[in-house]
Every structure is written in structure tokens, then in C-alpha cells.
Amino acid sequence: MTLLPGNNALTAVQDEKAGGNQLFPVFLKLNELHTVLIGAGNVGLEKLTAILHNSPNAKVTVIAESVIPEVYNLSYPGIKIIQKSFNDDDLDSADIVVAATNDSQLNNYIRESAHQRKLLINVADKPELCDFYLGSIVQKGDLKIGISTNGKSPTIAKRLKQVLNESLPAELDTTLQQMSELRNSLTGDFTYKVKKLNEVTSVLLEPKIVRKNFQWLIWLSIIFSLAVGITGLWANEPAFKSYVQEINPVFYYFLGAGFVFALVDGAIGMSYGVTSTTFSLTMGIPPASASMGVHLSEILSNGIAGWMHYRMHNINWRLFKMLLIPGIIGAVLGAYILSSLEHYSQYSKPVVSIYTLILGIVIFSKALNLKRKRTGEKIKRIPLLGFGGGFIDAVGGGGWGSIVLSTLIAGGRHPRFSLGTVKLSRFFIALMSSLTFITMLNGAHWEAVAGLVFGSALAAPIAAKISNKISTKAIMMSVAVIVILISLRSIIVFITKII
């Protein structure tokens, strides 16, 4: 809610001549003030909803000759509805007044009565009669941002609200809570507290040093991953040399497939492992070799994609740290089991498919209701999720994105930041699981592996750019459709084999 200091139309005209928005923004404690709303039609309902959405415990008295049922249906503790005609005395106990009737003469009369009592008033759809405006609000927990267009265009304010709601991560509220806890834990005088808080938040103003150090880490990791890939190819030296001398047409099939699968995966954060493994098995590649090929190709593609997301600031570092180590442990364990017992994947796939099918339906439902306020709690056992996702990914030849990203989004985390974090952590997990496969397996189908490696690497930077252009709803809908279709297919195939 934004207040306008002037009490008449002349002040508004002077503000126009001064140029720019002359409003002074404030945030009112409506739960400690008495608001009187005159009018209980559609406009009155809109004003009342806006007040209660931001201040659920606001004390509001609604006065109107006729009241629509939707107003009666609002169940808030501070609402009092009086069905009668307006009278001057109705403002005697008011602190704030909102006029929302469809009678312009009555609105003018209410405004005069309010000003006689030195009360601030908002008159619906009449900016020149308002002392303050009810602006659009963006809220992320305790963070609240008010938007004002100086009464020029409520539509623009609503559009800006949508943009900011999608752009600002929900994790901002976590940052606020942590800063509040830090502030409360500090002892000493005011100067010491300010100095300490400045030290903690200086990283926000000087990110170049941290970024430069992490940039070196990523480049070294990519170089190391290339070395691992080359070592894997040369591990079976005679077969690889033979392949180089005469390229098998299968290479081109896997090159195209790797490009398409990585393009989809990089844009929405999942499906590469599952689709690539399914394609490999269809082409006659054994399960362990198929999983090895998928993970070797994912080293380079996810390294590139992770780097792109890092450059576009799509990484939630706290989430990344919680996923990384448990994910690596789970992936290494899963790769070891699959290499030892290749038939194990056929038992894990149906369970994973049912789980991801449920998640897909949950995400699809959330995408349809994206504008509604999220009430579900975020998933808290992130390390356990990382371990399970890494294990199943290695055993089943894919599933890190389907399981981890789906669960994060279904738990209410921001899709774009979850996508970037999952892609970067996937690079390290694919690297470690590939090392395990290379150690355990004596041979591989190099035409398939090389095709997936080069195809996915070519698609990675394109896909990362696409993901940053897609809206939150589009990402969620795409994720849901891909997960549901792949899960249903896996379940149907499993049932068919049993029958």
C-alpha cells in the first residue's frame, strides 16, 4: 500500500508538473489499524481480497447496502460485515478508508467525510481522489516488494508482478531468515554489528573473486573429464583403433540421437539418461555398456551445461552442496552393482517409473495452478534425495533429472534454479560413475559411446540457452509431460514382459 502525501487534486496536478513518481512508499501494519471499506460488490471484493492477502489479520469493517456472497465466504478473523447505508458516524473509529461503491456522488461524499476526520482514503478507479494507492505486491516469505505506476496503469503493475514472481527465487526467504538469525546472534555495540554484517554480505558486492576461483575449478574439472573420456576410449585400444579406421554407421545413429536427447534434457533438465538408455537397449547394446555410454557422454554435456547455467546465475549453491556428495556416493555404488549384476536394472526400473509417474502428475498439477499461492512445504531431506537419485541413475542408466529435479519442483523449489543446480551436480556425478564403469568393465561399444559423447556435447550449450528463455510454467509442463510419458512406457514394457 503506497501513500500519497497530498490531500486534494491540486497536489496531484503539482506532482504531474514536477515529473516522475512523487509517491512515498510505506508499509502499514493493518493488523493494528482499523480499515473501513464501503462497498461489497465486485470492486469491493477485489479491494478486500488485496488487503487480506497481504494482511490476513487485518481489522476490516465492511459497510454496504448489498453484499455479494463471495464477501461473506471470506473467512478471516478480522472481518466485520454491516449491511446498511453509509453514514458519517461509520468513520469515527476508522484509521484508513477505502471507498469501493459504484456511486460517484457517494464516493465523493465518503471522501469529504474522511478528510474532515483527517483520514487517508482510497477511492476505487479514481486516482485523482486517492490519498494512497493499493499497489501490486510481490512476496517471497518475509520479503515484500510494492509496485506503483502512479495510478497510470494497473495492468503494467500486474505484469511486472508476474515477471518478478517468476524471476525472484523462493530461496530469498531462506536467505532473509539466515541473516535474521545471524543478526540476532551478534553481540556488541551497533558499530560492531554493522561491521560484521558488512563482512558477511560483502560477497554479494564482490562476486568476481569467488567466480574467478570457481571458474578455474570448473575448467580443471572439464579438462579432467576429457582425460577420463579419452582413457575410457583407449582402455580397449585394439577395438578403438579398429573403430577409428572404419567408422561404423551406428556412430551416426547415436550422434543424432545424442544430440536430440541432450537438447531436450538441457532445456528441461531431465530425460537424457532414460531416453538414451532406452535407445541403446533397442539398438542391442548391453545394459552395463549402455549405462557406461550414457554417463561418459554426460560428463562433457553436463560440464558444458553446468558452466552455462553458472554463467547465467542459475545455481543454488546451498542446494548444490547438499546434493553433490550423497549423489556421488549413490552413483558409485549403483555403477558398481550394475557392473557386477547387469540384470539388476530390470527390477529397479518399474519402481522408479511408478515414482516418477506420480511426480510428473504432481508437477503437471502445480503448473496448472502456478498463479495460486504455494502452500506445500519444500522437501527437506536433500542429501537422501541426492543419494537415491545418484544410485538409481547409475543402476537404471538414467533418472537423476527425473527423480531429483522432479522432486525439487514438486516440493515447491524454483524450476529454473533447480534445473541449473541439477545440471551442474550431474556433471560431477556422471564423472565419478563413469570412472567406476571404466574400472569394472573390460569392453564397450565404442561406436555408440562416441556418438552419444559428441552428439550430447554439441547440443549442451544450445539447450542451456534455450532453458533460460523458457518460462517457469513451460519448464514445469515440459518436465511433467516427459516424465509421465517415459514412466508409462517403462511400466507398460515391464508388464508386457511379465505377461
Side-chain angles (χ1 to χ4, degrees):
M1 183 178 293
T2 310
L3 299 187
L4 177 66
N7 286 329
N8 50 51
L10 178 60
T11 303
V13 173
Q14 291 172 343
D15 289 344
E16 290 288 334
K17 292 180 180 180
N21 192 329
Q22 301 295 311
L23 301 176
F24 184 79
V26 298
F27 290 93
L28 301 176
K29 297 181 179 180
L30 290 186
N31 56 317
E32 298 180 6
L33 300 174
H34 179 206
T35 303
V36 175
L37 169 65
I38 300 95
N42 290 326
V43 178
L45 174 64
E46 181 181 354
K47 296 290 186 181
L48 182 59
T49 303
I51 292 172
L52 296 174
H53 178 73
N54 285 282
S55 301
N57 295 320
K59 302 173 184 177
V60 184
T61 298
V62 181
I63 299 173
E65 291 182 352
S66 59
V67 182
I68 61 175
E70 289 81 358
V71 173
Y72 279 116
N73 292 336
L74 292 174
S75 55
Y76 288 84
I79 297 180
K80 180 181 180 181
I81 301 174
I82 303 176
Q83 191 166 352
K84 73 177 192 65
S85 300
F86 171 76
N87 188 284
D88 280 3
D89 298 339
D90 295 328
L91 302 183
D92 287 346
S93 62
D95 296 306
I96 299 289
V97 183
V98 178
T101 76
N102 57 4
D103 186 336
S104 58
Q105 290 184 349
L106 177 57
N107 286 339
N108 281 317
Y109 177 66
I110 296 171
R111 182 174 182 271
E112 292 175 1
S113 299
H115 284 176
Q116 288 175 3
R117 293 166 172 77
K118 306 296 182 182
L119 299 175
L120 297 175
I121 182 171
N122 172 274
V123 181
D125 298 325
K126 293 292 182 180
E128 68 277 7
L129 300 181
C130 293
D131 297 321
F132 64 91
Y133 303 138
L134 299 177
S136 292
I137 301 295
V138 177
Q139 184 169 358
K140 300 290 181 178
D142 282 329
L143 176 66
K144 185 171 287 189
I145 302 172
I147 303 171
S148 170
T149 61
N150 206 10
K152 296 297 189 299
S153 178
T155 301
I156 292 295
K158 290 179 181 178
R159 292 292 175 263
L160 286 173
K161 174 183 177 179
Q162 292 174 352
V163 171
L164 289 173
N165 263 325
E166 291 187 359
S167 301
L168 295 176
E171 287 76 11
L172 273 176
D173 185 54
T174 302
T175 303
L176 285 179
Q177 305 308 325
Q178 291 173 345
M179 289 301 298
S180 177
E181 292 177 7
L182 174 61
R183 178 186 175 189
N184 293 333
S185 67
L186 294 177
T187 57
D189 58 17
F190 179 76
T191 302
Y192 169 78
K193 291 181 179 179
V194 171
K195 182 179 179 181
K196 191 65 178 178
L197 289 173
N198 284 339
E199 290 176 0
V200 173
T201 57
S202 62
V203 66
L204 301 175
L205 301 176
E206 300 176 1
K208 293 183 179 180
I209 296 177
V210 176
R211 290 178 185 174
K212 187 175 181 179
N213 292 336
F214 194 79
Q215 179 177 343
W216 278 107
L217 175 61
I218 289 208
W219 276 114
L220 289 173
S221 300
I222 291 176
I223 293 172
F224 180 60
S225 68
L226 288 173
V228 171
I230 294 172
T231 301
L233 291 174
W234 281 92
N236 190 15
E237 186 175 341
F240 181 67
K241 286 184 176 179
S242 175
Y243 157 72
V244 172
Q245 293 172 356
E246 186 177 352
I247 296 178
N248 192 316
V250 172
F251 167 79
Y252 299 106
Y253 300 147
F254 278 85
L255 179 70
F259 182 86
V260 173
F261 297 153
L263 193 65
V264 175
D265 177 84
I268 66 173
M270 63 177 61
S271 84
Y272 177 78
V274 180
T275 52
S276 297
T277 300
T278 303
F279 179 77
S280 298
L281 295 176
T282 303
M283 296 292 289
I285 308 298
S289 296
S291 185
M292 174 182 171
V294 168
H295 288 87
L296 274 172
S297 63
E298 284 183 327
I299 293 175
L300 189 57
S301 63
N302 281 277
I304 295 172
W307 170 251
M308 295 295 292
H309 281 290
Y310 163 74
R311 292 294 301 272
M312 294 183 290
H313 310 291
N314 289 346
I315 310 298
N316 180 331
W317 294 111
R318 183 169 177 269
L319 182 62
F320 173 78
K321 292 177 182 177
M322 290 191 290
L323 285 173
L324 185 61
I325 301 302
I328 289 176
I329 295 173
V332 171
L333 180 61
Y336 177 82
I337 292 176
L338 181 62
S339 301
S340 304
L341 305 169
E342 288 194 12
H343 66 278
Y344 189 83
S345 62
Q346 63 181 320
Y347 300 106
S348 64
K349 278 184 178 291
V351 178
V352 177
S353 299
I354 294 173
Y355 176 64
T356 54
L357 175 63
I358 296 172
L359 288 178
I361 295 172
V362 171
I363 294 172
F364 193 85
S365 175
K366 283 182 173 289
L368 294 177
N369 301 288
L370 193 60
K371 293 184 179 180
R372 298 181 184 178
K373 185 177 180 181
R374 294 178 182 177
T375 56
E377 293 185 359
K378 296 179 184 178
I379 181 170
K380 296 179 180 179
R381 298 181 178 179
I382 301 297
L384 182 61
L385 173 65
F387 176 82
F391 179 82
I392 294 173
D393 177 79
V395 170
W400 175 259
S402 301
I403 294 172
V404 178
L405 182 60
S406 300
T407 305
L408 292 175
I409 295 177
R413 290 187 177 270
H414 194 283
R416 182 168 291 115
F417 284 88
S418 298
L419 170 59
T421 305
V422 167
K423 294 301 292 182
L424 183 60
S425 59
R426 182 75 174 100
F427 162 73
F428 295 98
I429 289 165
L431 177 62
M432 298 308 297
S433 58
S434 295
L435 283 171
T436 306
F437 277 120
I438 291 172
T439 303
M440 295 292 295
L441 297 177
N442 295 321
H445 294 255
W446 300 118
E447 64 279 358
V449 174
L452 289 176
V453 168
F454 289 111
S456 60
L458 290 172
I462 302 173
K465 284 288 186 183
I466 292 174
S467 71
N468 221 39
K469 301 294 183 182
I470 302 175
S471 68
T472 297
K473 186 173 184 179
I475 292 177
M476 293 179 69
M477 294 289 284
S478 301
V479 166
V481 171
I482 292 292
V483 170
I484 291 172
L485 291 178
I486 293 176
S487 301
L488 285 174
R489 183 187 182 282
S490 298
I491 294 171
I492 292 172
V493 170
F494 179 74
I495 293 174
T496 303
K497 286 182 178 180
I498 294 177
I499 296 175

Short mmCIF file of all heavy atoms in Angstrom, two decimals, residues 1 28-38 47-48 51-52 55 57-63 78-81 90-91 93-99 119-122 132 134:
data_model
loop_
_atom_site.label_atom_id
_atom_site.label_comp_id
_atom_site.label_asym_id
_atom_site.label_seq_id
_atom_site.Cartn_x
_atom_site.Cartn_y
_atom_site.Cartn_z
N MET A 1 0.86 -1.18 0.00
CA MET A 1 0.00 0.00 0.00
C MET A 1 0.89 1.23 0.00
O MET A 1 1.78 1.36 0.83
CB MET A 1 -0.91 -0.02 1.22
CG MET A 1 -1.90 1.14 1.27
SD MET A 1 -2.96 1.00 2.72
CE MET A 1 -3.88 -0.46 2.33
N LEU A 28 2.08 -0.53 5.84
CA LEU A 28 1.23 -0.31 7.01
C LEU A 28 0.98 -1.60 7.77
O LEU A 28 0.82 -2.67 7.16
CB LEU A 28 -0.11 0.28 6.58
CG LEU A 28 -0.07 1.61 5.82
CD1 LEU A 28 -1.47 2.02 5.38
CD2 LEU A 28 0.54 2.70 6.70
N LYS A 29 0.92 -1.51 9.09
CA LYS A 29 0.56 -2.64 9.94
C LYS A 29 -0.96 -2.66 10.09
O LYS A 29 -1.52 -2.21 11.08
CB LYS A 29 1.22 -2.51 11.31
CG LYS A 29 2.75 -2.55 11.26
CD LYS A 29 3.34 -2.43 12.66
CE LYS A 29 4.84 -2.51 12.64
NZ LYS A 29 5.44 -2.39 14.00
N LEU A 30 -1.64 -3.20 9.06
CA LEU A 30 -3.10 -3.16 9.05
C LEU A 30 -3.72 -4.01 10.16
O LEU A 30 -4.89 -3.81 10.50
CB LEU A 30 -3.63 -3.62 7.69
CG LEU A 30 -3.37 -2.65 6.52
CD1 LEU A 30 -4.06 -3.15 5.27
CD2 LEU A 30 -3.85 -1.25 6.86
N ASN A 31 -2.96 -4.94 10.72
CA ASN A 31 -3.49 -5.73 11.83
C ASN A 31 -3.59 -4.90 13.12
O ASN A 31 -4.23 -5.31 14.07
CB ASN A 31 -2.62 -6.96 12.07
CG ASN A 31 -1.18 -6.61 12.32
OD1 ASN A 31 -0.62 -5.75 11.64
ND2 ASN A 31 -0.55 -7.27 13.29
N GLU A 32 -2.93 -3.71 13.11
CA GLU A 32 -3.01 -2.83 14.28
C GLU A 32 -3.84 -1.58 13.99
O GLU A 32 -3.96 -0.71 14.84
CB GLU A 32 -1.60 -2.43 14.72
CG GLU A 32 -0.74 -3.61 15.16
CD GLU A 32 0.65 -3.19 15.58
OE1 GLU A 32 0.91 -1.96 15.64
OE2 GLU A 32 1.50 -4.08 15.84
N LEU A 33 -4.35 -1.46 12.76
CA LEU A 33 -5.18 -0.32 12.37
C LEU A 33 -6.59 -0.80 12.04
O LEU A 33 -6.80 -2.00 11.78
CB LEU A 33 -4.58 0.39 11.15
CG LEU A 33 -3.16 0.97 11.32
CD1 LEU A 33 -2.65 1.51 9.99
CD2 LEU A 33 -3.15 2.06 12.38
N HIS A 34 -7.54 0.14 12.02
CA HIS A 34 -8.92 -0.20 11.68
C HIS A 34 -9.23 0.35 10.29
O HIS A 34 -9.23 1.56 10.08
CB HIS A 34 -9.89 0.38 12.71
CG HIS A 34 -11.32 0.07 12.40
ND1 HIS A 34 -12.37 0.86 12.83
CD2 HIS A 34 -11.90 -0.95 11.70
CE1 HIS A 34 -13.50 0.35 12.40
NE2 HIS A 34 -13.25 -0.74 11.72
N THR A 35 -9.47 -0.55 9.35
CA THR A 35 -9.80 -0.16 7.98
C THR A 35 -11.30 -0.26 7.77
O THR A 35 -11.91 -1.29 8.09
CB THR A 35 -9.08 -1.06 6.96
OG1 THR A 35 -7.67 -1.01 7.18
CG2 THR A 35 -9.37 -0.61 5.54
N VAL A 36 -11.90 0.78 7.23
CA VAL A 36 -13.33 0.76 6.90
C VAL A 36 -13.47 0.73 5.37
O VAL A 36 -12.95 1.61 4.68
CB VAL A 36 -14.06 1.99 7.47
CG1 VAL A 36 -15.52 2.01 7.00
CG2 VAL A 36 -14.01 1.97 9.00
N LEU A 37 -14.13 -0.30 4.87
CA LEU A 37 -14.36 -0.47 3.43
C LEU A 37 -15.84 -0.26 3.15
O LEU A 37 -16.69 -0.97 3.70
CB LEU A 37 -13.91 -1.86 3.00
CG LEU A 37 -14.31 -2.30 1.59
CD1 LEU A 37 -13.63 -1.44 0.53
CD2 LEU A 37 -13.95 -3.78 1.35
N ILE A 38 -16.14 0.71 2.31
CA ILE A 38 -17.54 0.97 1.93
C ILE A 38 -17.75 0.42 0.54
O ILE A 38 -17.11 0.85 -0.42
CB ILE A 38 -17.89 2.47 1.98
CG1 ILE A 38 -17.68 3.02 3.39
CG2 ILE A 38 -19.33 2.68 1.55
CD1 ILE A 38 -16.34 3.65 3.60
N LYS A 47 -10.83 -5.14 -3.60
CA LYS A 47 -10.06 -4.36 -2.61
C LYS A 47 -9.87 -5.15 -1.31
O LYS A 47 -8.78 -5.17 -0.73
CB LYS A 47 -10.80 -3.04 -2.31
CG LYS A 47 -10.92 -2.10 -3.49
CD LYS A 47 -9.56 -1.51 -3.85
CE LYS A 47 -9.72 -0.45 -4.95
NZ LYS A 47 -8.41 0.13 -5.34
N LEU A 48 -10.94 -5.81 -0.87
CA LEU A 48 -10.88 -6.57 0.37
C LEU A 48 -9.91 -7.75 0.25
O LEU A 48 -9.13 -8.03 1.16
CB LEU A 48 -12.28 -7.07 0.74
CG LEU A 48 -12.41 -7.85 2.05
CD1 LEU A 48 -11.96 -7.02 3.23
CD2 LEU A 48 -13.85 -8.33 2.24
N ILE A 51 -6.30 -6.55 0.45
CA ILE A 51 -5.92 -6.23 1.83
C ILE A 51 -5.63 -7.49 2.62
O ILE A 51 -4.60 -7.62 3.28
CB ILE A 51 -7.02 -5.39 2.50
CG1 ILE A 51 -7.11 -4.00 1.87
CG2 ILE A 51 -6.76 -5.27 4.01
CD1 ILE A 51 -8.30 -3.18 2.34
N LEU A 52 -6.55 -8.46 2.54
CA LEU A 52 -6.43 -9.67 3.35
C LEU A 52 -5.32 -10.59 2.85
O LEU A 52 -4.73 -11.34 3.63
CB LEU A 52 -7.76 -10.42 3.36
CG LEU A 52 -8.92 -9.66 4.03
CD1 LEU A 52 -10.23 -10.42 3.85
CD2 LEU A 52 -8.62 -9.45 5.51
N SER A 55 -2.39 -8.87 4.46
CA SER A 55 -2.50 -8.79 5.92
C SER A 55 -3.69 -9.64 6.37
O SER A 55 -4.80 -9.12 6.59
CB SER A 55 -2.70 -7.33 6.37
OG SER A 55 -1.63 -6.53 5.94
N ASN A 57 -4.58 -10.84 9.09
CA ASN A 57 -5.16 -10.49 10.38
C ASN A 57 -5.62 -9.03 10.45
O ASN A 57 -5.82 -8.49 11.53
CB ASN A 57 -4.16 -10.76 11.50
CG ASN A 57 -3.84 -12.23 11.65
OD1 ASN A 57 -4.72 -13.08 11.55
ND2 ASN A 57 -2.57 -12.55 11.87
N ALA A 58 -5.77 -8.41 9.27
CA ALA A 58 -6.20 -7.01 9.23
C ALA A 58 -7.61 -6.86 9.82
O ALA A 58 -8.47 -7.73 9.65
CB ALA A 58 -6.18 -6.50 7.79
N LYS A 59 -7.81 -5.72 10.51
CA LYS A 59 -9.12 -5.42 11.08
C LYS A 59 -9.89 -4.57 10.07
O LYS A 59 -9.60 -3.40 9.87
CB LYS A 59 -8.96 -4.66 12.40
CG LYS A 59 -8.14 -5.42 13.44
CD LYS A 59 -7.87 -4.56 14.66
CE LYS A 59 -6.96 -5.27 15.66
NZ LYS A 59 -6.63 -4.41 16.82
N VAL A 60 -10.91 -5.18 9.44
CA VAL A 60 -11.65 -4.51 8.36
C VAL A 60 -13.14 -4.57 8.66
O VAL A 60 -13.70 -5.65 8.90
CB VAL A 60 -11.37 -5.17 7.00
CG1 VAL A 60 -12.08 -4.39 5.88
CG2 VAL A 60 -9.87 -5.25 6.72
N THR A 61 -13.77 -3.40 8.63
CA THR A 61 -15.23 -3.32 8.73
C THR A 61 -15.78 -3.01 7.35
O THR A 61 -15.40 -1.99 6.74
CB THR A 61 -15.66 -2.24 9.73
OG1 THR A 61 -15.17 -2.58 11.03
CG2 THR A 61 -17.19 -2.14 9.77
N VAL A 62 -16.64 -3.88 6.85
CA VAL A 62 -17.24 -3.70 5.52
C VAL A 62 -18.65 -3.17 5.70
O VAL A 62 -19.46 -3.77 6.41
CB VAL A 62 -17.27 -5.03 4.74
CG1 VAL A 62 -17.87 -4.82 3.36
CG2 VAL A 62 -15.86 -5.61 4.63
N ILE A 63 -18.94 -2.04 5.03
CA ILE A 63 -20.26 -1.41 5.11
C ILE A 63 -20.84 -1.31 3.71
O ILE A 63 -20.21 -0.74 2.81
CB ILE A 63 -20.18 -0.02 5.75
CG1 ILE A 63 -19.63 -0.14 7.18
CG2 ILE A 63 -21.54 0.68 5.74
CD1 ILE A 63 -19.36 1.20 7.84
N GLY A 78 -10.52 -10.95 11.26
CA GLY A 78 -10.70 -9.52 11.50
C GLY A 78 -11.82 -8.86 10.70
O GLY A 78 -12.02 -7.65 10.80
N ILE A 79 -12.58 -9.63 9.91
CA ILE A 79 -13.63 -9.03 9.06
C ILE A 79 -14.93 -8.88 9.85
O ILE A 79 -15.38 -9.79 10.54
CB ILE A 79 -13.90 -9.90 7.82
CG1 ILE A 79 -12.66 -9.98 6.94
CG2 ILE A 79 -15.04 -9.31 7.00
CD1 ILE A 79 -12.87 -10.82 5.70
N LYS A 80 -15.54 -7.70 9.69
CA LYS A 80 -16.87 -7.44 10.25
C LYS A 80 -17.72 -6.83 9.15
O LYS A 80 -17.36 -5.81 8.56
CB LYS A 80 -16.78 -6.48 11.44
CG LYS A 80 -18.13 -6.17 12.09
CD LYS A 80 -17.96 -5.19 13.24
CE LYS A 80 -19.29 -4.87 13.90
NZ LYS A 80 -19.14 -3.89 15.02
N ILE A 81 -18.85 -7.46 8.84
CA ILE A 81 -19.71 -7.02 7.74
C ILE A 81 -20.99 -6.41 8.31
O ILE A 81 -21.71 -7.05 9.09
CB ILE A 81 -20.06 -8.18 6.79
CG1 ILE A 81 -18.76 -8.79 6.21
CG2 ILE A 81 -20.97 -7.72 5.67
CD1 ILE A 81 -18.99 -10.03 5.38
N ASP A 90 -19.87 6.21 10.64
CA ASP A 90 -19.18 4.94 10.40
C ASP A 90 -17.66 5.10 10.36
O ASP A 90 -16.93 4.12 10.49
CB ASP A 90 -19.65 4.32 9.08
CG ASP A 90 -21.12 3.93 9.11
OD1 ASP A 90 -21.60 3.56 10.20
OD2 ASP A 90 -21.78 4.00 8.06
N LEU A 91 -17.21 6.37 10.20
CA LEU A 91 -15.77 6.62 10.10
C LEU A 91 -15.16 7.09 11.43
O LEU A 91 -13.97 7.36 11.48
CB LEU A 91 -15.48 7.66 9.01
CG LEU A 91 -15.97 7.32 7.60
CD1 LEU A 91 -15.54 8.41 6.63
CD2 LEU A 91 -15.44 5.97 7.14
N SER A 93 -14.38 5.56 14.12
CA SER A 93 -13.33 4.70 14.69
C SER A 93 -12.33 4.23 13.63
O SER A 93 -11.50 3.35 13.90
CB SER A 93 -13.98 3.48 15.36
OG SER A 93 -14.68 2.70 14.41
N ALA A 94 -12.41 4.81 12.43
CA ALA A 94 -11.55 4.34 11.33
C ALA A 94 -10.16 4.97 11.39
O ALA A 94 -9.98 6.08 11.87
CB ALA A 94 -12.21 4.66 10.00
N ASP A 95 -9.16 4.22 10.88
CA ASP A 95 -7.81 4.75 10.68
C ASP A 95 -7.51 4.91 9.19
O ASP A 95 -6.77 5.80 8.78
CB ASP A 95 -6.78 3.81 11.30
CG ASP A 95 -6.91 3.71 12.80
OD1 ASP A 95 -6.90 4.76 13.46
OD2 ASP A 95 -7.02 2.57 13.32
N ILE A 96 -8.07 4.01 8.39
CA ILE A 96 -7.90 4.01 6.94
C ILE A 96 -9.26 3.79 6.30
O ILE A 96 -10.07 2.99 6.81
CB ILE A 96 -6.93 2.89 6.49
CG1 ILE A 96 -5.55 3.09 7.10
CG2 ILE A 96 -6.82 2.83 4.97
CD1 ILE A 96 -4.77 4.25 6.54
N VAL A 97 -9.53 4.46 5.17
CA VAL A 97 -10.83 4.34 4.50
C VAL A 97 -10.62 3.92 3.05
O VAL A 97 -9.72 4.44 2.36
CB VAL A 97 -11.61 5.67 4.55
CG1 VAL A 97 -12.98 5.50 3.90
CG2 VAL A 97 -11.75 6.16 5.99
N VAL A 98 -11.47 2.99 2.59
CA VAL A 98 -11.47 2.57 1.18
C VAL A 98 -12.91 2.67 0.68
O VAL A 98 -13.82 2.05 1.24
CB VAL A 98 -10.95 1.13 1.01
CG1 VAL A 98 -11.02 0.72 -0.46
CG2 VAL A 98 -9.52 1.00 1.52
N ALA A 99 -13.12 3.47 -0.37
CA ALA A 99 -14.45 3.63 -0.98
C ALA A 99 -14.49 2.82 -2.26
O ALA A 99 -13.71 3.06 -3.19
CB ALA A 99 -14.74 5.10 -1.26
N LEU A 119 -8.51 11.57 7.80
CA LEU A 119 -8.26 10.18 7.46
C LEU A 119 -7.81 10.06 6.00
O LEU A 119 -8.28 10.80 5.14
CB LEU A 119 -9.53 9.33 7.66
CG LEU A 119 -10.10 9.27 9.08
CD1 LEU A 119 -11.41 8.50 9.09
CD2 LEU A 119 -9.10 8.62 10.03
N LEU A 120 -6.91 9.13 5.74
CA LEU A 120 -6.47 8.85 4.37
C LEU A 120 -7.47 7.90 3.73
O LEU A 120 -7.95 6.95 4.34
CB LEU A 120 -5.08 8.22 4.38
CG LEU A 120 -3.94 9.08 4.95
CD1 LEU A 120 -2.65 8.28 5.00
CD2 LEU A 120 -3.75 10.33 4.10
N ILE A 121 -7.74 8.13 2.41
CA ILE A 121 -8.76 7.35 1.73
C ILE A 121 -8.28 6.92 0.35
O ILE A 121 -7.53 7.64 -0.32
CB ILE A 121 -10.08 8.15 1.59
CG1 ILE A 121 -11.16 7.30 0.91
CG2 ILE A 121 -9.85 9.46 0.85
CD1 ILE A 121 -12.54 7.92 0.92
N ASN A 122 -8.72 5.73 -0.05
CA ASN A 122 -8.52 5.23 -1.41
C ASN A 122 -9.90 5.10 -2.06
O ASN A 122 -10.78 4.44 -1.51
CB ASN A 122 -7.81 3.87 -1.40
CG ASN A 122 -7.75 3.23 -2.78
OD1 ASN A 122 -8.67 2.54 -3.21
ND2 ASN A 122 -6.66 3.46 -3.47
N PHE A 132 -3.90 7.50 -1.29
CA PHE A 132 -2.93 6.42 -1.42
C PHE A 132 -3.49 5.40 -2.41
O PHE A 132 -4.68 5.38 -2.69
CB PHE A 132 -2.64 5.75 -0.07
CG PHE A 132 -3.83 5.04 0.54
CD1 PHE A 132 -4.08 3.71 0.28
CD2 PHE A 132 -4.70 5.74 1.38
CE1 PHE A 132 -5.18 3.08 0.84
CE2 PHE A 132 -5.80 5.11 1.95
CZ PHE A 132 -6.04 3.77 1.67
N LEU A 134 -3.50 1.19 -3.70
CA LEU A 134 -3.23 -0.20 -3.36
C LEU A 134 -2.42 -0.80 -4.50
O LEU A 134 -2.98 -1.22 -5.51
CB LEU A 134 -4.53 -0.98 -3.15
CG LEU A 134 -5.44 -0.48 -2.01
CD1 LEU A 134 -6.71 -1.30 -1.96
CD2 LEU A 134 -4.71 -0.57 -0.68
#
